[in-house]
Amino acid sequence: MSSTTWSTTSTRAVPRVLSIAGTDPTGGAGLHADLKTISVLGGYGMGAVTAVIAQNTCGVRSIHTPPPEVLRDQLLAVSDDVVVDAVKIGMLGSAGAVEVVGQWLQEQKPPLCVIDPVMVATAGGTLLESEALGAVLELLGSADLVTPNLTELASLLDRAPAQDWPEALEQGRRLADQLGVAVLVKGGHLPGERTPDALVAPGQEEPVAQWDAARIDTSCTHGTGCSLSSAIAVLAARSGRLPESVEAARGWLRGALEHAEELEVGRGSGPVHHGHHLAPALRGMLGA
């Protein structure tokens, strides 16, 4: 990645985006959230399942990880038939899955790869085997953008989670330099009334772009990381411009958080409202 001016000429009005992630039967996170996001933002979503997770808005109950060869068969079934314009990678879970995805990326070399290194579910539950961490670090070097939350960022650096925004930025720059790829530093888990984010690039002291906004008062945050990363993937595949795509995805997610409680889904940390921006069009279709 060229850090400050990432762009590509292989843009498409309807990009074909592959999500590689775990499941969520309540539909708020993982592969289910990715496919919703890709569709409502104008892409064609495809999915390869890394793990079948029994979870809901209250927590994770169990995880079943299929054999690595099953994951590879899924990936090859897609790439043997469909041109993939962008890849979003979420939960991988096991070292075997990480290895399979890494090999497939090297073989296929998709134009855009966004990795959300999912390690812990928002509603609780560990989603990455401890022995897979080293393999994940190696895989992240194949990405164009990595989007960890602050806990994941610290784990990838073997440090304690950042306690303030300057420390978070420093950790983001360190990871970007270590991996040689862009990192989106997300401040949503910090205390306070603001939620800063920054796009940092390897070898650069100052962020490529920064954003800051008031925190949205809602408990419905299930799947925010999954949704944001897949939004960036589909928008960047459409536009070819990474900073602008992060900004647009961030704005869309804020709307999804603002309208999340309208869904009335679950008794725990509810999902965001992926299709909130479609309301005017739906009213027009229904004549009301």
PDB file of all heavy atoms in Angstrom, residues 32-74:
ATOM      1  N   HIS A  32     -22.757 -12.560   8.995  1.00  0.00           N
ATOM      2  CA  HIS A  32     -24.103 -12.038   8.762  1.00  0.00           C
ATOM      3  C   HIS A  32     -24.095 -10.514   8.690  1.00  0.00           C
ATOM      4  O   HIS A  32     -24.741  -9.913   7.811  1.00  0.00           O
ATOM      5  CB  HIS A  32     -25.052 -12.503   9.871  1.00  0.00           C
ATOM      6  CG  HIS A  32     -25.267 -13.979   9.892  1.00  0.00           C
ATOM      7  ND1 HIS A  32     -24.327 -14.863  10.376  1.00  0.00           N
ATOM      8  CD2 HIS A  32     -26.322 -14.746   9.493  1.00  0.00           C
ATOM      9  CE1 HIS A  32     -24.784 -16.094  10.265  1.00  0.00           C
ATOM     10  NE2 HIS A  32     -25.993 -16.053   9.729  1.00  0.00           N
ATOM     11  N   ALA A  33     -23.377  -9.862   9.588  1.00  0.00           N
ATOM     12  CA  ALA A  33     -23.282  -8.402   9.555  1.00  0.00           C
ATOM     13  C   ALA A  33     -22.535  -7.932   8.315  1.00  0.00           C
ATOM     14  O   ALA A  33     -22.890  -6.917   7.702  1.00  0.00           O
ATOM     15  CB  ALA A  33     -22.583  -7.892  10.817  1.00  0.00           C
ATOM     16  N   ASP A  34     -21.496  -8.662   7.939  1.00  0.00           N
ATOM     17  CA  ASP A  34     -20.728  -8.286   6.746  1.00  0.00           C
ATOM     18  C   ASP A  34     -21.593  -8.300   5.498  1.00  0.00           C
ATOM     19  O   ASP A  34     -21.568  -7.362   4.687  1.00  0.00           O
ATOM     20  CB  ASP A  34     -19.546  -9.246   6.551  1.00  0.00           C
ATOM     21  CG  ASP A  34     -18.475  -9.101   7.614  1.00  0.00           C
ATOM     22  OD1 ASP A  34     -18.485  -8.099   8.347  1.00  0.00           O
ATOM     23  OD2 ASP A  34     -17.622 -10.007   7.709  1.00  0.00           O
ATOM     24  N   LEU A  35     -22.366  -9.364   5.326  1.00  0.00           N
ATOM     25  CA  LEU A  35     -23.185  -9.480   4.120  1.00  0.00           C
ATOM     26  C   LEU A  35     -24.260  -8.399   4.075  1.00  0.00           C
ATOM     27  O   LEU A  35     -24.565  -7.852   3.005  1.00  0.00           O
ATOM     28  CB  LEU A  35     -23.805 -10.875   4.038  1.00  0.00           C
ATOM     29  CG  LEU A  35     -22.809 -12.016   3.809  1.00  0.00           C
ATOM     30  CD1 LEU A  35     -23.525 -13.361   3.816  1.00  0.00           C
ATOM     31  CD2 LEU A  35     -22.043 -11.827   2.506  1.00  0.00           C
ATOM     32  N   LYS A  36     -24.856  -8.084   5.226  1.00  0.00           N
ATOM     33  CA  LYS A  36     -25.818  -6.988   5.270  1.00  0.00           C
ATOM     34  C   LYS A  36     -25.158  -5.679   4.858  1.00  0.00           C
ATOM     35  O   LYS A  36     -25.693  -4.913   4.047  1.00  0.00           O
ATOM     36  CB  LYS A  36     -26.398  -6.855   6.673  1.00  0.00           C
ATOM     37  CG  LYS A  36     -27.316  -7.968   7.107  1.00  0.00           C
ATOM     38  CD  LYS A  36     -27.766  -7.751   8.549  1.00  0.00           C
ATOM     39  CE  LYS A  36     -28.626  -8.905   9.035  1.00  0.00           C
ATOM     40  NZ  LYS A  36     -29.045  -8.731  10.441  1.00  0.00           N
ATOM     41  N   THR A  37     -24.003  -5.417   5.447  1.00  0.00           N
ATOM     42  CA  THR A  37     -23.287  -4.165   5.170  1.00  0.00           C
ATOM     43  C   THR A  37     -22.945  -4.042   3.698  1.00  0.00           C
ATOM     44  O   THR A  37     -23.169  -2.992   3.074  1.00  0.00           O
ATOM     45  CB  THR A  37     -22.006  -4.098   6.014  1.00  0.00           C
ATOM     46  OG1 THR A  37     -22.345  -4.178   7.396  1.00  0.00           O
ATOM     47  CG2 THR A  37     -21.251  -2.816   5.753  1.00  0.00           C
ATOM     48  N   ILE A  38     -22.367  -5.094   3.146  1.00  0.00           N
ATOM     49  CA  ILE A  38     -21.957  -5.066   1.739  1.00  0.00           C
ATOM     50  C   ILE A  38     -23.160  -4.799   0.841  1.00  0.00           C
ATOM     51  O   ILE A  38     -23.093  -3.989  -0.095  1.00  0.00           O
ATOM     52  CB  ILE A  38     -21.265  -6.397   1.366  1.00  0.00           C
ATOM     53  CG1 ILE A  38     -19.935  -6.531   2.108  1.00  0.00           C
ATOM     54  CG2 ILE A  38     -21.044  -6.489  -0.146  1.00  0.00           C
ATOM     55  CD1 ILE A  38     -19.391  -7.950   2.144  1.00  0.00           C
ATOM     56  N   SER A  39     -24.275  -5.436   1.136  1.00  0.00           N
ATOM     57  CA  SER A  39     -25.467  -5.274   0.294  1.00  0.00           C
ATOM     58  C   SER A  39     -26.043  -3.873   0.387  1.00  0.00           C
ATOM     59  O   SER A  39     -26.357  -3.252  -0.643  1.00  0.00           O
ATOM     60  CB  SER A  39     -26.529  -6.301   0.695  1.00  0.00           C
ATOM     61  OG  SER A  39     -26.100  -7.615   0.401  1.00  0.00           O
ATOM     62  N   VAL A  40     -26.209  -3.351   1.618  1.00  0.00           N
ATOM     63  CA  VAL A  40     -26.855  -2.043   1.755  1.00  0.00           C
ATOM     64  C   VAL A  40     -25.958  -0.910   1.270  1.00  0.00           C
ATOM     65  O   VAL A  40     -26.451   0.199   1.010  1.00  0.00           O
ATOM     66  CB  VAL A  40     -27.313  -1.760   3.201  1.00  0.00           C
ATOM     67  CG1 VAL A  40     -28.299  -2.821   3.671  1.00  0.00           C
ATOM     68  CG2 VAL A  40     -26.131  -1.644   4.153  1.00  0.00           C
ATOM     69  N   LEU A  41     -24.654  -1.172   1.097  1.00  0.00           N
ATOM     70  CA  LEU A  41     -23.748  -0.148   0.577  1.00  0.00           C
ATOM     71  C   LEU A  41     -23.387  -0.392  -0.886  1.00  0.00           C
ATOM     72  O   LEU A  41     -22.425   0.183  -1.401  1.00  0.00           O
ATOM     73  CB  LEU A  41     -22.487  -0.065   1.445  1.00  0.00           C
ATOM     74  CG  LEU A  41     -22.757   0.439   2.880  1.00  0.00           C
ATOM     75  CD1 LEU A  41     -21.464   0.479   3.686  1.00  0.00           C
ATOM     76  CD2 LEU A  41     -23.421   1.810   2.877  1.00  0.00           C
ATOM     77  N   GLY A  42     -24.166  -1.214  -1.553  1.00  0.00           N
ATOM     78  CA  GLY A  42     -24.070  -1.300  -3.009  1.00  0.00           C
ATOM     79  C   GLY A  42     -23.160  -2.345  -3.566  1.00  0.00           C
ATOM     80  O   GLY A  42     -22.856  -2.319  -4.764  1.00  0.00           O
ATOM     81  N   GLY A  43     -22.719  -3.312  -2.767  1.00  0.00           N
ATOM     82  CA  GLY A  43     -21.865  -4.366  -3.274  1.00  0.00           C
ATOM     83  C   GLY A  43     -22.599  -5.679  -3.420  1.00  0.00           C
ATOM     84  O   GLY A  43     -23.778  -5.808  -3.055  1.00  0.00           O
ATOM     85  N   TYR A  44     -21.891  -6.670  -3.964  1.00  0.00           N
ATOM     86  CA  TYR A  44     -22.410  -8.034  -4.028  1.00  0.00           C
ATOM     87  C   TYR A  44     -21.620  -8.855  -3.024  1.00  0.00           C
ATOM     88  O   TYR A  44     -20.416  -9.049  -3.179  1.00  0.00           O
ATOM     89  CB  TYR A  44     -22.270  -8.624  -5.432  1.00  0.00           C
ATOM     90  CG  TYR A  44     -22.770 -10.052  -5.498  1.00  0.00           C
ATOM     91  CD1 TYR A  44     -24.135 -10.323  -5.559  1.00  0.00           C
ATOM     92  CD2 TYR A  44     -21.883 -11.122  -5.446  1.00  0.00           C
ATOM     93  CE1 TYR A  44     -24.608 -11.623  -5.583  1.00  0.00           C
ATOM     94  CE2 TYR A  44     -22.343 -12.431  -5.474  1.00  0.00           C
ATOM     95  CZ  TYR A  44     -23.701 -12.670  -5.542  1.00  0.00           C
ATOM     96  OH  TYR A  44     -24.166 -13.964  -5.551  1.00  0.00           O
ATOM     97  N   GLY A  45     -22.268  -9.326  -1.971  1.00  0.00           N
ATOM     98  CA  GLY A  45     -21.586 -10.009  -0.896  1.00  0.00           C
ATOM     99  C   GLY A  45     -21.517 -11.512  -1.076  1.00  0.00           C
ATOM    100  O   GLY A  45     -22.476 -12.147  -1.512  1.00  0.00           O
ATOM    101  N   MET A  46     -20.357 -12.061  -0.732  1.00  0.00           N
ATOM    102  CA  MET A  46     -20.133 -13.508  -0.734  1.00  0.00           C
ATOM    103  C   MET A  46     -19.499 -13.868   0.601  1.00  0.00           C
ATOM    104  O   MET A  46     -18.915 -13.012   1.262  1.00  0.00           O
ATOM    105  CB  MET A  46     -19.222 -13.911  -1.888  1.00  0.00           C
ATOM    106  CG  MET A  46     -19.753 -13.511  -3.258  1.00  0.00           C
ATOM    107  SD  MET A  46     -18.534 -13.752  -4.583  1.00  0.00           S
ATOM    108  CE  MET A  46     -17.428 -12.359  -4.288  1.00  0.00           C
ATOM    109  N   GLY A  47     -19.583 -15.143   1.009  1.00  0.00           N
ATOM    110  CA  GLY A  47     -19.069 -15.489   2.319  1.00  0.00           C
ATOM    111  C   GLY A  47     -18.451 -16.869   2.395  1.00  0.00           C
ATOM    112  O   GLY A  47     -18.960 -17.823   1.801  1.00  0.00           O
ATOM    113  N   ALA A  48     -17.361 -16.966   3.146  1.00  0.00           N
ATOM    114  CA  ALA A  48     -16.746 -18.239   3.496  1.00  0.00           C
ATOM    115  C   ALA A  48     -16.727 -18.332   5.019  1.00  0.00           C
ATOM    116  O   ALA A  48     -16.244 -17.423   5.696  1.00  0.00           O
ATOM    117  CB  ALA A  48     -15.325 -18.334   2.941  1.00  0.00           C
ATOM    118  N   VAL A  49     -17.262 -19.430   5.546  1.00  0.00           N
ATOM    119  CA  VAL A  49     -17.432 -19.583   6.989  1.00  0.00           C
ATOM    120  C   VAL A  49     -16.176 -20.172   7.617  1.00  0.00           C
ATOM    121  O   VAL A  49     -15.722 -21.256   7.235  1.00  0.00           O
ATOM    122  CB  VAL A  49     -18.641 -20.482   7.300  1.00  0.00           C
ATOM    123  CG1 VAL A  49     -18.775 -20.718   8.800  1.00  0.00           C
ATOM    124  CG2 VAL A  49     -19.917 -19.855   6.744  1.00  0.00           C
ATOM    125  N   THR A  50     -15.613 -19.471   8.595  1.00  0.00           N
ATOM    126  CA  THR A  50     -14.441 -19.961   9.320  1.00  0.00           C
ATOM    127  C   THR A  50     -14.829 -20.718  10.581  1.00  0.00           C
ATOM    128  O   THR A  50     -14.091 -21.579  11.046  1.00  0.00           O
ATOM    129  CB  THR A  50     -13.530 -18.797   9.719  1.00  0.00           C
ATOM    130  OG1 THR A  50     -14.274 -17.895  10.559  1.00  0.00           O
ATOM    131  CG2 THR A  50     -13.043 -18.046   8.497  1.00  0.00           C
ATOM    132  N   ALA A  51     -15.966 -20.359  11.158  1.00  0.00           N
ATOM    133  CA  ALA A  51     -16.423 -20.992  12.393  1.00  0.00           C
ATOM    134  C   ALA A  51     -17.923 -20.803  12.529  1.00  0.00           C
ATOM    135  O   ALA A  51     -18.459 -19.761  12.148  1.00  0.00           O
ATOM    136  CB  ALA A  51     -15.704 -20.397  13.601  1.00  0.00           C
ATOM    137  N   VAL A  52     -18.581 -21.819  13.072  1.00  0.00           N
ATOM    138  CA  VAL A  52     -20.006 -21.733  13.372  1.00  0.00           C
ATOM    139  C   VAL A  52     -20.123 -21.417  14.860  1.00  0.00           C
ATOM    140  O   VAL A  52     -19.745 -22.228  15.709  1.00  0.00           O
ATOM    141  CB  VAL A  52     -20.733 -23.046  13.034  1.00  0.00           C
ATOM    142  CG1 VAL A  52     -22.211 -22.943  13.405  1.00  0.00           C
ATOM    143  CG2 VAL A  52     -20.574 -23.375  11.554  1.00  0.00           C
ATOM    144  N   ILE A  53     -20.630 -20.216  15.161  1.00  0.00           N
ATOM    145  CA  ILE A  53     -20.644 -19.727  16.536  1.00  0.00           C
ATOM    146  C   ILE A  53     -22.081 -19.660  17.035  1.00  0.00           C
ATOM    147  O   ILE A  53     -22.932 -19.021  16.409  1.00  0.00           O
ATOM    148  CB  ILE A  53     -19.998 -18.328  16.625  1.00  0.00           C
ATOM    149  CG1 ILE A  53     -18.621 -18.344  15.973  1.00  0.00           C
ATOM    150  CG2 ILE A  53     -19.905 -17.865  18.075  1.00  0.00           C
ATOM    151  CD1 ILE A  53     -18.002 -16.978  15.819  1.00  0.00           C
ATOM    152  N   ALA A  54     -22.338 -20.311  18.157  1.00  0.00           N
ATOM    153  CA  ALA A  54     -23.644 -20.188  18.820  1.00  0.00           C
ATOM    154  C   ALA A  54     -23.553 -18.989  19.754  1.00  0.00           C
ATOM    155  O   ALA A  54     -23.012 -19.082  20.852  1.00  0.00           O
ATOM    156  CB  ALA A  54     -23.968 -21.451  19.595  1.00  0.00           C
ATOM    157  N   GLN A  55     -24.041 -17.842  19.280  1.00  0.00           N
ATOM    158  CA  GLN A  55     -23.975 -16.621  20.076  1.00  0.00           C
ATOM    159  C   GLN A  55     -25.253 -15.823  19.881  1.00  0.00           C
ATOM    160  O   GLN A  55     -26.014 -16.044  18.951  1.00  0.00           O
ATOM    161  CB  GLN A  55     -22.759 -15.771  19.679  1.00  0.00           C
ATOM    162  CG  GLN A  55     -22.813 -15.213  18.262  1.00  0.00           C
ATOM    163  CD  GLN A  55     -21.691 -14.216  17.986  1.00  0.00           C
ATOM    164  OE1 GLN A  55     -21.430 -13.334  18.787  1.00  0.00           O
ATOM    165  NE2 GLN A  55     -21.019 -14.389  16.852  1.00  0.00           N
ATOM    166  N   ASN A  56     -25.460 -14.886  20.796  1.00  0.00           N
ATOM    167  CA  ASN A  56     -26.545 -13.932  20.651  1.00  0.00           C
ATOM    168  C   ASN A  56     -26.087 -12.608  21.241  1.00  0.00           C
ATOM    169  O   ASN A  56     -24.874 -12.408  21.450  1.00  0.00           O
ATOM    170  CB  ASN A  56     -27.835 -14.453  21.301  1.00  0.00           C
ATOM    171  CG  ASN A  56     -27.655 -14.797  22.769  1.00  0.00           C
ATOM    172  OD1 ASN A  56     -26.799 -14.249  23.460  1.00  0.00           O
ATOM    173  ND2 ASN A  56     -28.471 -15.721  23.259  1.00  0.00           N
ATOM    174  N   THR A  57     -26.989 -11.695  21.489  1.00  0.00           N
ATOM    175  CA  THR A  57     -26.583 -10.378  21.981  1.00  0.00           C
ATOM    176  C   THR A  57     -26.090 -10.429  23.420  1.00  0.00           C
ATOM    177  O   THR A  57     -25.524  -9.450  23.916  1.00  0.00           O
ATOM    178  CB  THR A  57     -27.760  -9.382  21.891  1.00  0.00           C
ATOM    179  OG1 THR A  57     -28.821  -9.816  22.763  1.00  0.00           O
ATOM    180  CG2 THR A  57     -28.272  -9.270  20.465  1.00  0.00           C
ATOM    181  N   CYS A  58     -26.296 -11.565  24.098  1.00  0.00           N
ATOM    182  CA  CYS A  58     -25.869 -11.696  25.495  1.00  0.00           C
ATOM    183  C   CYS A  58     -24.523 -12.394  25.649  1.00  0.00           C
ATOM    184  O   CYS A  58     -23.898 -12.286  26.707  1.00  0.00           O
ATOM    185  CB  CYS A  58     -26.924 -12.464  26.291  1.00  0.00           C
ATOM    186  SG  CYS A  58     -28.536 -11.646  26.360  1.00  0.00           S
ATOM    187  N   GLY A  59     -24.064 -13.113  24.641  1.00  0.00           N
ATOM    188  CA  GLY A  59     -22.775 -13.762  24.761  1.00  0.00           C
ATOM    189  C   GLY A  59     -22.601 -14.938  23.824  1.00  0.00           C
ATOM    190  O   GLY A  59     -23.505 -15.310  23.074  1.00  0.00           O
ATOM    191  N   VAL A  60     -21.413 -15.544  23.890  1.00  0.00           N
ATOM    192  CA  VAL A  60     -21.050 -16.697  23.060  1.00  0.00           C
ATOM    193  C   VAL A  60     -21.264 -17.972  23.866  1.00  0.00           C
ATOM    194  O   VAL A  60     -20.801 -18.091  25.001  1.00  0.00           O
ATOM    195  CB  VAL A  60     -19.581 -16.608  22.605  1.00  0.00           C
ATOM    196  CG1 VAL A  60     -19.159 -17.875  21.866  1.00  0.00           C
ATOM    197  CG2 VAL A  60     -19.381 -15.382  21.712  1.00  0.00           C
ATOM    198  N   ARG A  61     -21.972 -18.942  23.267  1.00  0.00           N
ATOM    199  CA  ARG A  61     -22.257 -20.204  23.957  1.00  0.00           C
ATOM    200  C   ARG A  61     -21.303 -21.316  23.546  1.00  0.00           C
ATOM    201  O   ARG A  61     -20.855 -22.100  24.375  1.00  0.00           O
ATOM    202  CB  ARG A  61     -23.697 -20.622  23.690  1.00  0.00           C
ATOM    203  CG  ARG A  61     -24.722 -19.611  24.191  1.00  0.00           C
ATOM    204  CD  ARG A  61     -26.133 -20.128  24.077  1.00  0.00           C
ATOM    205  NE  ARG A  61     -27.083 -19.158  24.611  1.00  0.00           N
ATOM    206  CZ  ARG A  61     -28.369 -19.423  24.819  1.00  0.00           C
ATOM    207  NH1 ARG A  61     -28.859 -20.613  24.527  1.00  0.00           N
ATOM    208  NH2 ARG A  61     -29.165 -18.486  25.320  1.00  0.00           N
ATOM    209  N   SER A  62     -21.012 -21.398  22.275  1.00  0.00           N
ATOM    210  CA  SER A  62     -20.092 -22.436  21.809  1.00  0.00           C
ATOM    211  C   SER A  62     -19.564 -22.059  20.435  1.00  0.00           C
ATOM    212  O   SER A  62     -20.161 -21.231  19.729  1.00  0.00           O
ATOM    213  CB  SER A  62     -20.779 -23.809  21.751  1.00  0.00           C
ATOM    214  OG  SER A  62     -21.811 -23.811  20.777  1.00  0.00           O
ATOM    215  N   ILE A  63     -18.438 -22.669  20.077  1.00  0.00           N
ATOM    216  CA  ILE A  63     -17.802 -22.419  18.778  1.00  0.00           C
ATOM    217  C   ILE A  63     -17.419 -23.750  18.152  1.00  0.00           C
ATOM    218  O   ILE A  63     -16.795 -24.595  18.797  1.00  0.00           O
ATOM    219  CB  ILE A  63     -16.532 -21.549  18.934  1.00  0.00           C
ATOM    220  CG1 ILE A  63     -16.880 -20.191  19.553  1.00  0.00           C
ATOM    221  CG2 ILE A  63     -15.835 -21.366  17.585  1.00  0.00           C
ATOM    222  CD1 ILE A  63     -15.665 -19.336  19.867  1.00  0.00           C
ATOM    223  N   HIS A  64     -17.815 -23.945  16.912  1.00  0.00           N
ATOM    224  CA  HIS A  64     -17.402 -25.132  16.156  1.00  0.00           C
ATOM    225  C   HIS A  64     -16.557 -24.668  14.977  1.00  0.00           C
ATOM    226  O   HIS A  64     -17.017 -23.874  14.148  1.00  0.00           O
ATOM    227  CB  HIS A  64     -18.610 -25.924  15.639  1.00  0.00           C
ATOM    228  CG  HIS A  64     -18.229 -27.039  14.708  1.00  0.00           C
ATOM    229  ND1 HIS A  64     -17.573 -28.176  15.140  1.00  0.00           N
ATOM    230  CD2 HIS A  64     -18.377 -27.176  13.370  1.00  0.00           C
ATOM    231  CE1 HIS A  64     -17.340 -28.966  14.114  1.00  0.00           C
ATOM    232  NE2 HIS A  64     -17.821 -28.384  13.022  1.00  0.00           N
ATOM    233  N   THR A  65     -15.336 -25.164  14.904  1.00  0.00           N
ATOM    234  CA  THR A  65     -14.430 -24.784  13.823  1.00  0.00           C
ATOM    235  C   THR A  65     -14.328 -25.928  12.825  1.00  0.00           C
ATOM    236  O   THR A  65     -13.811 -27.001  13.164  1.00  0.00           O
ATOM    237  CB  THR A  65     -13.031 -24.455  14.373  1.00  0.00           C
ATOM    238  OG1 THR A  65     -13.145 -23.427  15.363  1.00  0.00           O
ATOM    239  CG2 THR A  65     -12.112 -23.968  13.257  1.00  0.00           C
ATOM    240  N   PRO A  66     -14.787 -25.748  11.592  1.00  0.00           N
ATOM    241  CA  PRO A  66     -14.680 -26.807  10.582  1.00  0.00           C
ATOM    242  C   PRO A  66     -13.206 -27.090  10.261  1.00  0.00           C
ATOM    243  O   PRO A  66     -12.331 -26.254  10.496  1.00  0.00           O
ATOM    244  CB  PRO A  66     -15.400 -26.216   9.369  1.00  0.00           C
ATOM    245  CG  PRO A  66     -16.224 -25.084   9.904  1.00  0.00           C
ATOM    246  CD  PRO A  66     -15.474 -24.553  11.072  1.00  0.00           C
ATOM    247  N   PRO A  67     -12.909 -28.251   9.713  1.00  0.00           N
ATOM    248  CA  PRO A  67     -11.535 -28.552   9.305  1.00  0.00           C
ATOM    249  C   PRO A  67     -11.026 -27.520   8.297  1.00  0.00           C
ATOM    250  O   PRO A  67     -11.803 -26.999   7.484  1.00  0.00           O
ATOM    251  CB  PRO A  67     -11.651 -29.940   8.665  1.00  0.00           C
ATOM    252  CG  PRO A  67     -12.888 -30.530   9.249  1.00  0.00           C
ATOM    253  CD  PRO A  67     -13.822 -29.379   9.473  1.00  0.00           C
ATOM    254  N   PRO A  68      -9.723 -27.215   8.319  1.00  0.00           N
ATOM    255  CA  PRO A  68      -9.178 -26.203   7.400  1.00  0.00           C
ATOM    256  C   PRO A  68      -9.472 -26.486   5.933  1.00  0.00           C
ATOM    257  O   PRO A  68      -9.666 -25.552   5.149  1.00  0.00           O
ATOM    258  CB  PRO A  68      -7.672 -26.251   7.693  1.00  0.00           C
ATOM    259  CG  PRO A  68      -7.572 -26.734   9.107  1.00  0.00           C
ATOM    260  CD  PRO A  68      -8.708 -27.699   9.271  1.00  0.00           C
ATOM    261  N   GLU A  69      -9.518 -27.762   5.562  1.00  0.00           N
ATOM    262  CA  GLU A  69      -9.767 -28.081   4.152  1.00  0.00           C
ATOM    263  C   GLU A  69     -11.170 -27.673   3.718  1.00  0.00           C
ATOM    264  O   GLU A  69     -11.409 -27.380   2.539  1.00  0.00           O
ATOM    265  CB  GLU A  69      -9.532 -29.563   3.862  1.00  0.00           C
ATOM    266  CG  GLU A  69     -10.326 -30.521   4.719  1.00  0.00           C
ATOM    267  CD  GLU A  69      -9.569 -30.968   5.970  1.00  0.00           C
ATOM    268  OE1 GLU A  69      -8.682 -30.221   6.426  1.00  0.00           O
ATOM    269  OE2 GLU A  69      -9.891 -32.060   6.478  1.00  0.00           O
ATOM    270  N   VAL A  70     -12.118 -27.633   4.660  1.00  0.00           N
ATOM    271  CA  VAL A  70     -13.468 -27.171   4.339  1.00  0.00           C
ATOM    272  C   VAL A  70     -13.447 -25.678   4.028  1.00  0.00           C
ATOM    273  O   VAL A  70     -14.109 -25.209   3.090  1.00  0.00           O
ATOM    274  CB  VAL A  70     -14.440 -27.472   5.501  1.00  0.00           C
ATOM    275  CG1 VAL A  70     -15.817 -26.858   5.231  1.00  0.00           C
ATOM    276  CG2 VAL A  70     -14.556 -28.969   5.720  1.00  0.00           C
ATOM    277  N   LEU A  71     -12.675 -24.922   4.794  1.00  0.00           N
ATOM    278  CA  LEU A  71     -12.529 -23.500   4.516  1.00  0.00           C
ATOM    279  C   LEU A  71     -11.858 -23.282   3.173  1.00  0.00           C
ATOM    280  O   LEU A  71     -12.293 -22.435   2.377  1.00  0.00           O
ATOM    281  CB  LEU A  71     -11.726 -22.828   5.636  1.00  0.00           C
ATOM    282  CG  LEU A  71     -11.376 -21.351   5.441  1.00  0.00           C
ATOM    283  CD1 LEU A  71     -12.626 -20.504   5.245  1.00  0.00           C
ATOM    284  CD2 LEU A  71     -10.554 -20.835   6.619  1.00  0.00           C
ATOM    285  N   ARG A  72     -10.814 -24.043   2.889  1.00  0.00           N
ATOM    286  CA  ARG A  72     -10.133 -23.886   1.591  1.00  0.00           C
ATOM    287  C   ARG A  72     -11.070 -24.217   0.436  1.00  0.00           C
ATOM    288  O   ARG A  72     -11.073 -23.517  -0.585  1.00  0.00           O
ATOM    289  CB  ARG A  72      -8.882 -24.757   1.536  1.00  0.00           C
ATOM    290  CG  ARG A  72      -8.137 -24.619   0.210  1.00  0.00           C
ATOM    291  CD  ARG A  72      -6.720 -25.133   0.264  1.00  0.00           C
ATOM    292  NE  ARG A  72      -6.066 -25.018  -1.029  1.00  0.00           N
ATOM    293  CZ  ARG A  72      -5.513 -23.890  -1.489  1.00  0.00           C
ATOM    294  NH1 ARG A  72      -5.547 -22.791  -0.766  1.00  0.00           N
ATOM    295  NH2 ARG A  72      -4.935 -23.861  -2.675  1.00  0.00           N
ATOM    296  N   ASP A  73     -11.874 -25.251   0.582  1.00  0.00           N
ATOM    297  CA  ASP A  73     -12.827 -25.595  -0.479  1.00  0.00           C
ATOM    298  C   ASP A  73     -13.803 -24.448  -0.725  1.00  0.00           C
ATOM    299  O   ASP A  73     -14.163 -24.157  -1.876  1.00  0.00           O
ATOM    300  CB  ASP A  73     -13.595 -26.859  -0.105  1.00  0.00           C
ATOM    301  CG  ASP A  73     -12.767 -28.124  -0.272  1.00  0.00           C
ATOM    302  OD1 ASP A  73     -11.693 -28.056  -0.888  1.00  0.00           O
ATOM    303  OD2 ASP A  73     -13.198 -29.179   0.238  1.00  0.00           O
ATOM    304  N   GLN A  74     -14.251 -23.793   0.347  1.00  0.00           N
ATOM    305  CA  GLN A  74     -15.156 -22.648   0.187  1.00  0.00           C
ATOM    306  C   GLN A  74     -14.472 -21.517  -0.584  1.00  0.00           C
ATOM    307  O   GLN A  74     -15.064 -20.925  -1.502  1.00  0.00           O
ATOM    308  CB  GLN A  74     -15.589 -22.122   1.557  1.00  0.00           C
ATOM    309  CG  GLN A  74     -16.460 -23.036   2.364  1.00  0.00           C
ATOM    310  CD  GLN A  74     -16.792 -22.411   3.702  1.00  0.00           C
ATOM    311  OE1 GLN A  74     -17.665 -21.540   3.811  1.00  0.00           O
ATOM    312  NE2 GLN A  74     -16.081 -22.842   4.742  1.00  0.00           N
TER     313      GLN A  74
END
